[in-house]
Amino acid sequence: MNGKRSIDPTVSPVFAAVQEHTPPEAVVVFFRARTMTLYTDRRALQLMDVKRMLQRADYYAQLRNSDYSQPVLTQDQAIALGMEEVWSDAKWILWKLPALN
């Protein structure tokens, strides 16, 4: 083995989006936090609770139509919470979370 890790092609677009659309100091909620950090150099949290996510993170990388280890939100619910879609494709949505004062 040469030590290089291959990225699942269904996940690589969200890693690229995080690198392109978030600043280096951003904290991202993702269902596999250590993997997000490994591939993007962003701090990541693995949270299920929406309130905690809004308090502790800057972005949420959401896998569409999944409730596996991630907060479950519809697009309407996310928008009502003040979240802003910054990137999406058929499988993923990258949300910018509202700044709490």
Side-chain angles (χ1 to χ4, degrees), residues 37-68:
T37 299
L38 177 68
Y39 286 107
T40 66
D41 288 327
R42 301 303 189 270
R43 288 183 25 220
L45 299 172
Q46 190 169 326
L47 300 171
M48 294 286 296
D49 183 81
V50 173
K51 184 177 178 180
R52 289 180 66 200
M53 175 179 74
L54 293 171
Q55 292 171 338
R56 297 181 180 186
D58 304 304
Y59 292 85
Y60 173 34
Q62 180 183 29
L63 178 59
R64 293 179 190 267
N65 305 314
S66 176
D67 61 359
Y68 178 75

Side-chain angles (χ1 to χ4, degrees), residues 17-30 33 36-37 40-45 53 56-61 86 94-97:
V18 166
Q19 287 183 306
E20 182 178 337
H21 297 285
T22 69
E25 67 277 2
V27 177
V28 181
V29 172
F30 188 64
M36 176 63 74
T37 299
T40 66
D41 288 327
R42 301 303 189 270
R43 288 183 25 220
L45 299 172
M53 175 179 74
R56 297 181 180 186
D58 304 304
Y59 292 85
Y60 173 34
V86 295
L94 180 61
W95 297 101
K96 184 174 188 342
L97 304 180

Side-chain angles (χ1 to χ4, degrees), residues 62-66 70 75 85 88-93:
Q62 180 183 29
L63 178 59
R64 293 179 190 267
N65 305 314
S66 176
Q70 69 176 5
Q75 285 187 288
E85 183 178 316
S88 67
D89 70 5
K91 291 199 173 274
W92 301 96
I93 304 173

